[in-house]
Amino acid sequence: MKEMDSNWTTILLLFGMICGLSQGHWEWTSWFNIDHPGGNGDYEQLDAIQRYYKERICPRPSAIEARTVHGVPATLTGEAVHLSPHLGFWCLNKEQISGKRCSNYAVRFRCPKRSIAAVAQSSWSQWSDWGPCTASCGETGVQTRRRTCSTQSNEQQCPGPVEEGKLCKGPACITTPATTTRPLDIPTTSSREGQPAEKPFIRKQLMSKVRREGQSVTFCCKVECNPPPDKHFWYHNGSLLPVETHRYDSTLVLKQLQPQHAGKYMCRASNTAGSIKSQPATLTVIAPGAPSCNPKPESHLIQLPYDCYQNLTQSFYYNVGKCPVVTCAGEQEPELRCKDTTAHCCGAVKLEERMISCTKYTLPIKVVSSCGCQKCIETRTIVRGRAIAADNGEAMRFGQIFMGGKKISMTGYRGTFSIQVPTHVDRLVLTFVDRYQKFVNTTKVLPFNKKGGSVFHEVKLLRKRPAVTLDCSVSNSISLGEIESQNPVAQLEIPPNSFYRQNGEIYRGLVKASVTFLDPRDISLASAAQSDLNFINEEGDVLPLRTYGMFSLDFMDEATMESLNAGQVKIFLDSAQVKMPQHLEKMKLWSLNPETGFWEEEGDFTFIRSRRGKREERTFLVGNMEIRERRLFNLDVPESRRCYVKVRTFRSDRFMSSDQIEGVVVSLVNVEPMQGFSSNPRAWGRFDSVITGSNGACVPAFCDDQQPDAYSAYVMATLGGEELEAVASSPRMNSNTIGVQQSYLNKLQYRRSDHEDTKVKKTAFKINVAKPTPNVPDEMNGPIYPYENLKECEEASFSAGYFRFYRVEGDRYDYNTVAFNEDDPMSWTEDYLAWWPRPLEFRACYIKVKLNGPQEITVRSRNMGGTHPQTVGKIYGIRDVRSTRALDQLGVSAVCLEFKCSGMLYDQERIDRTLVKIIPQNDCHRESVNNMLQDYLVNHLPLAVNNDTSEFTMLAPLDPLGHNYGIYTVTDQDPRTAKEIALGRCFDGSSDNVSRVMKSNVGVALTFNCNERQAGQQNVFQSLQNSPGQSLTNSMWMGQRKRGRGQRDNLYGLRPFNRLRKQRRAPRREQWQNSPQFSNMD
């Protein structure tokens, strides 16, 4: 008891509260985050926080708390951190294990209350009793308790937490001694005592390599399994290489390379449990003297500012060129290695500066003039997302995330998570475990961009069914699937005395049983499917499955809550639920391997007939199963009728090649039509997701060449949680807009989700996945490709058929002197005028500007070098943004405008204070400047001249000032993430929260008074439509140029938007959510 008391005050509770600290005359400050984990670590120093936020923190705090920006308490991250109420918080990267970097932390401090009378009208109720401990026997869990706030004012809130928790230990594990019952003998195939044999699994695939003639190369087949592989086979272009000639094992070494060695290489490894084949890797052999990269750049068009129309090309586009990021041949390393020590890629080796004529000014632009082989740009790959309930979106708070059987991260308070993908991982398999046991343990295979950058996933979780009590001395029956007016899909039958403990002893007591079934007849649950529904056959090939239902089983001793096993369990599958007769003979029972994410066969089914009622005779498929380590099972059929669906995603509805977006998650749900009603899906059978690259994405799908509507599919696309729109199918279907030949389009029966009801959202389309007919020209060039033609699909030209998604864009425009694709970090170019100085760390800066006037105004930031000798007076880039009207004030709008942060340039040798001009594009005059911002600029010389009241000029601050200055700065490993967080804080006008709605009067840096535009005067967006010589296809209406404020990346479930867009889109969203077929699909 004494030990528990001593630990009481040292444990950070789940919601960032220390028990009892909100009592008395103390209160917690808001959260501060003034540093980021770049460089040596994360430093949230008290003196710096007091300097920036002196009005929000007391001189001598009595306590400190720290948590990550995702809400995970510092004590639960597993990282080495330091906290001091007198000094602050610091986390050093060098103190972390296995080379891990510190998370991004925020801190808050405990200070005396400023006014006790201010909260007199608000009071807390008594704390509730502590809830039950969530831990099983021998484990650690959490207990929580709550209280409520009684207040007489909606604006007045009680200080302190609503809920708090403490760690607790589960009951002791009790082993019941055997009496007259002999423990069960559980046979296993094992290489070591007590450990079953594991099928081989390749976590890191072979790497493609480029070599010159005469050099050497090494390929390594790294397989994980128990026992280790006893056989290895290597293949070149599909032909087995003789081991006698090449003398290989898990490593293949080729010396004195010649042109005939080029091609695709693949390995196959086997042990007693099975085999696995690697994905093929390409070896390119270059002749002596030949260039490793094509020196001529590819065409790459970027859009120019609205006032830079080019008469020569009659467009707003300019070809800046780009080098394809492909592997090239560097210097031969002295030692043969599986992975090259230094990776080499083709990239820009020479840039040429040109000047573009614009209205009243010229604009510099850097154009790629030559490509060559150089060291690859170092990048990091991040997977972010939210883990939420599939039924109502409830967040899985503080859940544990496992990879390869090891805990690697946690979800935050809102269910958010962020994981840096290890460089040795090609298949990211994560298992999400809810410590509160509300949700089924969920294993997901999450695709990511292997070139680097961030990808966002919404992980949908199935809620656990309430436990029922079973008497193990009698036979028990449990139904699987409860759809109204329909029979269950299957039924479990557990014979008497079938339960036994982990040590094999028969269990005689009562059993708490929770059986959760994922019913494929409910299409809203498709995204909650476990894993990626693949298995490995006897030859080692990865093949797909079509599901007829998944179920999770939890059997617990009612007294000790010890997990129980069950043997001789029978499962009865109703054959009437299998609408495709050919599937009856192929049906198998599978279990999920949570470490590999692959399904493994548990057993076959046999036919029996059972009479139910006086007039009904039904046929069942019966299988036997034993429930031991694995608790997630699947009723699946291997399906060989497979195709790929080609999809491209775009920044706007102009569908230009240069406007393609990478990093978009394209998801496809295979559905099986009800007989006689091809447009009404009976059940879904598979859920797949793929990430778009520079040439779109090829999404796997089931298809049929005999019956076009045998399989249909719904396709969706999301970027950072934002749903992209599909091309319209009504009132008139335009094959040129959709991107498919008309004859094939009729066969595919393309329908956007709002085809029959215009109030439904436009963010999905449905097709019949009809396999292309050989020798029919209109069907042989996409968008459906046979499964064996994956390479043809991946390398398809832009003129080939494909389906399209695009962003609903708004009034925003970005221009960089040195072009950079934020979707592809490897496109970064080393140059002093690069907007982002480093591709490993991206710092986004925004300034908030208030505009008094009757109209929405476009505001420009013009960013130039200010103090660095290499960049002074030269333009980094331009940002144009249309202001958002205030919801609560007439004649007021505000804008959050990006500017280039000050700091080190790419050479990391000298700081540049960016010279930033804020210019409203109307008849506006500066009224005021934030006093704290003005004081900071005066005290941090040099000071920019501000004689022109129609604009504002500053040398951008080096420090992350925060909302009190009207400046918002966020650093992240992904540029889109950094920008969206900073933008959300700017909208909210705070340094630690994000908002969906622009708050025009909070956290403002500058205020301008703007006059009404004279009659007949065009705004900058109208001028784009009326430029001389501009064709319709080249029209660059700025209102469609960039995504609207209602469509920004939803990285944290937050989406800023203006009032008009919200009102316009709300009816469609409401109709979508009420649709029975699509509810919960998003």
Side-chain angles (χ1 to χ4, degrees):
M1 185 66 183
K2 184 176 181 181
E3 182 182 353
M4 287 293 291
D5 290 340
S6 64
N7 289 335
W8 231 121
T9 58
T10 61
I11 299 175
L12 277 174
L13 303 177
L14 290 180
F15 296 93
M17 303 297 173
I18 295 182
C19 181
L21 287 185
S22 61
Q23 308 287 340
H25 306 310
W26 300 87
E27 64 182 358
W28 287 101
T29 66
S30 58
W31 292 95
F32 301 103
N33 179 20
I34 65 170
D35 193 27
H36 56 86
N40 296 327
D42 192 7
Y43 298 85
E44 308 294 338
Q45 296 178 326
L46 176 61
D47 58 349
I49 295 172
Q50 288 173 329
R51 183 168 64 251
Y52 297 137
Y53 305 102
K54 56 185 176 182
E55 76 288 350
R56 294 171 56 188
I57 188 170
C58 57
R60 291 179 294 278
S62 64
I64 182 177
E65 286 182 356
R67 70 180 186 187
T68 69
V69 293
H70 299 299
V72 179
T75 53
L76 299 181
T77 62
E79 298 175 3
V81 297
H82 309 271
L83 295 97
S84 167
H86 309 297
L87 300 176
F89 168 92
W90 62 100
C91 174
L92 304 180
N93 290 330
K94 66 181 181 181
E95 294 181 353
Q96 311 310 314
I97 59 174
S98 303
K100 183 180 178 182
R101 295 167 62 89
C102 294
S103 301
N104 193 6
Y105 286 92
V107 297
R108 64 176 183 174
F109 297 87
R110 184 189 182 211
C111 289
K113 290 183 180 178
R114 291 178 181 152
S115 175
I116 300 175
V119 296
Q121 294 181 337
S122 303
S123 61
W124 286 112
S125 66
Q126 295 293 322
W127 284 106
S128 65
D129 294 334
W130 287 107
C133 184
T134 61
S136 302
C137 70
E139 297 180 351
T140 300
V142 176
Q143 287 178 282
T144 61
R145 63 178 183 178
R146 295 183 62 86
R147 59 180 177 175
T148 57
C149 177
S150 300
T151 179
Q152 301 176 12
S153 170
N154 293 332
E155 298 180 358
Q156 195 69 264
Q157 299 295 330
C158 301
V162 175
E163 184 174 14
E164 64 180 13
K166 65 177 181 179
L167 301 182
C168 60
K169 291 186 177 180
C173 296
I174 302 174
T175 303
T176 304
T179 54
T180 59
T181 304
R182 180 181 177 182
L184 292 178
D185 183 15
I186 307 171
T188 60
T189 303
S190 175
S191 64
R192 296 192 298 266
E193 184 178 354
Q195 296 189 14
E198 301 170 349
K199 289 188 175 182
F201 170 60
I202 297 177
R203 199 174 298 276
K204 181 65 175 178
Q205 296 290 342
L206 304 182
M207 301 183 66
S208 295
K209 298 186 178 183
V210 180
R211 294 290 189 270
R212 295 190 178 275
E213 284 188 32
Q215 292 184 336
S216 302
V217 70
T218 302
F219 291 107
C220 298
C221 189
K222 296 183 178 181
V223 177
E224 300 177 12
C225 59
N226 171 40
D230 52 10
K231 295 179 181 178
H232 290 87
F233 302 95
W234 286 90
Y235 300 82
H236 178 215
N237 293 332
S239 299
L240 179 65
L241 295 175
V243 65
E244 299 83 5
T245 304
H246 293 83
R247 301 181 181 276
Y248 57 70
D249 46 20
S250 63
T251 302
L252 174 66
V253 178
L254 303 174
K255 299 182 178 180
Q256 294 298 316
L257 291 173
Q258 299 300 317
Q260 60 267 26
H261 287 114
K264 293 188 177 297
Y265 288 82
M266 181 188 70
C267 78
R268 177 172 175 259
S270 304
N271 70 355
T272 56
S275 300
I276 184 68
K277 288 180 181 178
S278 72
Q279 295 178 2
T282 302
L283 173 62
T284 303
V285 180
I286 301 175
S292 182
C293 300
N294 184 354
K296 184 178 180 181
E298 295 180 350
S299 175
H300 180 61
L301 300 177
I302 66 166
Q303 186 193 347
L304 301 175
Y306 71 89
D307 47 2
C308 296
Y309 183 78
Q310 301 299 292
N311 292 319
L312 182 63
T313 60
Q314 295 188 350
S315 74
F316 285 96
Y317 283 96
Y318 198 89
N319 183 11
V320 297
K322 70 173 183 179
C323 302
V325 183
V326 295
T327 305
C328 58
E331 295 181 3
Q332 177 71 60
E333 298 180 354
E335 298 181 9
L336 295 176
R337 301 174 184 270
C338 298
K339 179 182 178 181
D340 294 341
T341 304
T342 303
H344 287 80
C345 300
C346 296
V349 294
K350 185 178 180 181
L351 297 179
E352 176 185 324
E353 183 171 335
R354 299 177 185 174
M355 302 303 294
I356 297 174
S357 296
C358 301
T359 304
K360 298 182 179 180
Y361 68 96
T362 58
L363 186 68
I365 190 169
K366 293 289 186 81
V367 177
V368 178
S369 59
S370 179
C371 301
C373 190
Q374 57 187 12
K375 291 182 180 179
C376 295
I377 300 298
E378 184 182 356
T379 62
R380 294 192 181 98
T381 301
I382 309 294
V383 170
R384 306 178 189 272
R386 296 178 65 218
I388 58 176
D391 53 1
N392 63 1
E394 177 187 354
M396 184 180 78
R397 296 175 175 174
F398 308 112
Q400 300 175 344
I401 304 177
F402 292 83
M403 183 176 69
K406 298 178 180 179
K407 177 184 171 183
I408 61 167
S409 186
M410 293 178 62
T411 62
Y413 182 79
R414 295 190 179 99
T416 56
F417 62 90
S418 177
I419 294 171
Q420 182 172 326
V421 182
T423 56
H424 67 277
V425 169
D426 277 328
R427 178 179 168 88
L428 183 63
V429 183
L430 302 178
T431 299
F432 295 80
V433 178
D434 179 23
R435 64 172 64 207
Y436 299 106
Q437 298 298 305
K438 292 181 181 180
F439 306 109
V440 172
N441 291 355
T442 300
T443 298
K444 290 284 188 179
V445 180
L446 300 181
F448 56 90
N449 191 343
K450 296 181 180 179
K451 293 192 295 184
S454 175
V455 174
F456 182 93
H457 291 278
E458 266 197 345
V459 176
K460 300 293 183 68
L461 309 171
L462 202 61
R463 194 178 299 276
K464 273 190 175 182
R465 294 297 303 271
V468 297
T469 302
L470 305 180
D471 183 353
C472 67
S473 63
V474 299
S475 179
N476 292 278
S477 179
I478 302 174
S479 296
L480 302 179
E482 295 181 0
I483 300 294
E484 187 176 354
S485 74
Q486 296 191 44
N487 293 321
V489 173
Q491 210 167 44
L492 292 178
E493 289 195 1
I494 306 173
N497 302 317
S498 295
F499 292 98
Y500 59 94
R501 298 185 183 277
Q502 301 295 331
N503 62 4
E505 297 176 356
I506 294 292
Y507 176 71
R508 301 291 186 183
L510 297 178
V511 176
K512 284 286 188 182
S514 174
V515 179
T516 306
F517 185 68
L518 183 66
D519 198 324
R521 296 173 296 185
D522 186 351
I523 197 171
S524 67
L525 298 179
S527 58
Q530 299 260 3
S531 182
D532 58 356
L533 282 173
N534 287 326
F535 76 103
I536 301 173
N537 68 0
E538 294 179 355
E539 297 299 318
D541 296 304
V542 177
L543 300 175
L545 293 169
R546 188 260 188 245
T547 187
Y548 282 89
M550 304 177 185
F551 54 99
S552 170
L553 305 173
D554 278 330
F555 297 134
M556 309 290 287
D557 179 347
E558 187 183 47
T560 65
M561 299 306 292
E562 175 191 357
S563 181
L564 299 174
N565 298 336
Q568 303 177 356
V569 177
K570 290 185 179 295
I571 180 167
F572 292 81
L573 173 62
D574 186 355
S575 62
Q577 301 295 331
V578 183
K579 298 298 182 182
M580 304 183 81
Q582 60 269 37
H583 284 178
L584 290 172
E585 297 180 357
K586 300 179 182 179
M587 188 70 64
K588 295 179 183 293
L589 180 67
W590 307 77
S591 65
L592 180 64
N593 185 332
E595 293 196 16
T596 66
F598 288 115
W599 294 89
E600 298 178 1
E601 186 178 337
E602 288 281 335
D604 295 315
F605 284 86
T606 57
F607 282 93
I608 68 165
R609 293 187 181 275
S610 174
R611 187 173 297 278
R612 303 289 178 96
K614 296 182 178 179
R615 300 181 180 178
E616 180 187 18
E617 184 175 278
R618 294 161 62 190
T619 303
F620 288 85
L621 296 172
V622 182
N624 297 311
M625 58 188 297
E626 186 168 356
I627 302 163
R628 292 186 290 176
E629 305 91 10
R630 297 184 185 172
R631 301 302 171 103
L632 187 66
F633 298 89
N634 203 350
L635 306 170
D636 272 23
V637 173
E639 180 59 270
S640 58
R641 296 176 295 178
R642 298 174 289 164
C643 290
Y644 284 100
V645 180
K646 183 74 173 188
V647 177
R648 297 180 189 266
T649 54
F650 297 86
R651 301 184 188 281
S652 72
D653 56 3
R654 293 181 296 273
F655 306 124
M656 299 185 63
S657 176
S658 58
D659 280 348
Q660 292 188 82
I661 311 176
E662 298 185 43
V664 177
V665 181
V666 180
S667 300
L668 183 146
V669 182
N670 260 119
V671 291
E672 175 187 307
M674 182 181 293
Q675 293 180 351
F677 301 93
S678 59
S679 64
N680 182 18
R682 185 199 71 82
W684 61 271
R686 185 175 174 84
F687 182 89
D688 281 286
S689 294
V690 177
I691 305 298
T692 58
S694 59
N695 201 37
C698 296
V699 193
F702 293 142
C703 61
D704 193 86
D705 56 354
Q706 302 295 324
Q707 185 179 350
D709 64 347
Y711 279 113
S712 57
Y714 285 99
V715 185
M716 298 148 286
T718 59
L719 177 64
E722 168 200 343
E723 296 171 311
L724 276 62
E725 283 197 7
V727 178
S729 59
S730 64
R732 181 179 176 273
M733 194 177 304
N734 188 329
S735 61
N736 292 328
T737 307
I738 295 173
V740 183
Q741 292 287 342
Q742 185 65 54
S743 58
Y744 199 12
L745 195 61
N746 296 334
K747 186 176 180 180
L748 298 176
Q749 289 291 297
Y750 176 92
R751 295 290 185 270
R752 194 168 71 175
S753 47
D754 68 335
H755 184 81
E756 297 178 354
D757 187 348
T758 57
K759 296 180 181 179
V760 175
K761 288 201 298 186
K762 305 174 182 180
T763 52
F765 66 82
K766 174 183 173 293
I767 56 170
N768 293 330
V769 192
K771 189 173 183 178
T773 304
N775 303 320
V776 177
D778 287 352
E779 299 184 16
M780 296 306 295
N781 197 28
I784 311 296
Y785 293 83
Y787 197 77
E788 59 272 15
N789 293 353
L790 173 60
K791 182 178 180 181
E792 181 182 338
C793 177
E794 292 177 335
E795 299 177 356
S797 67
F798 190 74
S799 61
Y802 56 88
F803 293 110
R804 298 168 172 175
F805 284 94
Y806 63 96
R807 306 186 75 172
V808 180
E809 301 185 337
D811 307 334
R812 172 178 158 184
Y813 169 73
D814 296 351
Y815 170 79
N816 295 328
T817 299
V818 180
F820 173 65
N821 181 4
E822 293 178 358
D823 301 328
D824 180 12
M826 295 190 74
S827 67
W828 181 82
T829 303
E830 213 175 67
D831 193 273
Y832 281 107
L833 290 178
W835 184 275
W836 306 100
R838 297 183 63 208
L840 292 178
E841 189 173 80
F842 299 90
R843 190 182 187 199
C845 295
Y846 283 78
I847 185 171
K848 191 167 187 176
V849 181
K850 179 180 177 181
L851 301 140
N852 296 318
Q855 298 169 328
E856 293 180 342
I857 305 297
T858 299
V859 184
R860 166 173 290 184
S861 74
R862 185 178 178 90
N863 304 267
M864 297 175 288
T867 59
H868 196 289
Q870 294 288 343
T871 62
V872 62
K874 297 181 180 179
I875 295 179
Y876 289 111
I878 291 173
R879 299 293 186 264
D880 288 334
V881 181
R882 189 82 166 267
S883 65
T884 302
R885 291 182 182 177
L887 297 178
D888 54 353
Q889 283 182 284
L890 292 176
V892 175
S893 64
V895 65
C896 289
L897 185 62
E898 184 185 10
F899 64 89
K900 187 185 183 305
C901 306
S902 294
M904 291 284 188
L905 300 186
Y906 86 92
D907 58 7
Q908 298 294 298
E909 292 183 357
R910 185 167 179 173
I911 288 174
D912 183 29
R913 292 279 302 278
T914 309
L915 183 66
V916 180
K917 284 184 177 290
I918 307 299
I919 313 168
Q921 304 292 289
N922 205 344
D923 184 11
C924 299
H925 300 278
R926 186 175 68 248
E927 179 187 279
S928 63
V929 179
N930 182 295
N931 290 332
M932 295 183 66
L933 175 61
Q934 186 66 42
D935 290 343
Y936 177 91
L937 297 176
V938 169
N939 293 324
H940 292 77
L941 301 176
L943 182 66
V945 177
N946 269 294
N947 294 329
D948 188 350
T949 60
S950 66
E951 60 186 33
F952 175 76
T953 306
M954 69 174 179
L955 286 166
L958 284 167
D959 301 301
L961 299 183
H963 72 286
N964 288 326
Y965 300 78
I967 304 293
Y968 304 85
T969 305
V970 172
T971 303
D972 196 88
Q973 295 173 337
D974 175 66
R976 285 202 310 257
T977 303
K979 292 170 72 169
E980 290 306 322
I981 297 175
L983 195 61
R985 292 178 180 176
C986 183
F987 265 67
D988 189 67
S990 70
S991 298
D992 44 20
N993 293 318
V994 291
S995 175
R996 302 180 179 209
V997 179
M998 175 69 79
K999 299 178 181 179
S1000 303
N1001 294 316
V1002 183
V1004 174
L1006 306 172
T1007 302
F1008 285 86
N1009 292 330
C1010 301
N1011 299 323
E1012 186 172 1
R1013 184 181 292 108
Q1014 298 177 2
Q1017 182 181 354
Q1018 297 178 345
N1019 63 30
V1020 295
F1021 303 105
Q1022 292 170 335
S1023 67
L1024 294 175
Q1025 296 177 305
N1026 301 322
S1027 296
Q1030 183 178 358
S1031 66
L1032 179 63
T1033 57
N1034 288 332
S1035 176
M1036 301 303 301
W1037 177 45
M1038 193 67 72
Q1040 296 178 344
R1041 172 61 186 93
K1042 286 287 178 180
R1043 61 183 185 272
R1045 286 174 286 276
Q1047 299 294 320
R1048 291 193 174 96
D1049 294 356
N1050 187 12
L1051 293 175
Y1052 294 91
L1054 298 173
R1055 206 175 283 170
F1057 52 86
N1058 63 36
R1059 177 176 57 185
L1060 297 178
R1061 183 175 295 277
K1062 179 181 179 182
Q1063 292 173 347
R1064 183 166 63 250
R1065 299 180 63 85
R1068 296 205 299 265
R1069 180 178 295 274
E1070 182 179 356
Q1071 183 68 27
W1072 172 278
Q1073 291 172 341
N1074 292 334
S1075 172
Q1077 293 183 4
F1078 297 97
S1079 61
N1080 295 329
M1081 279 185 66
D1082 59 345

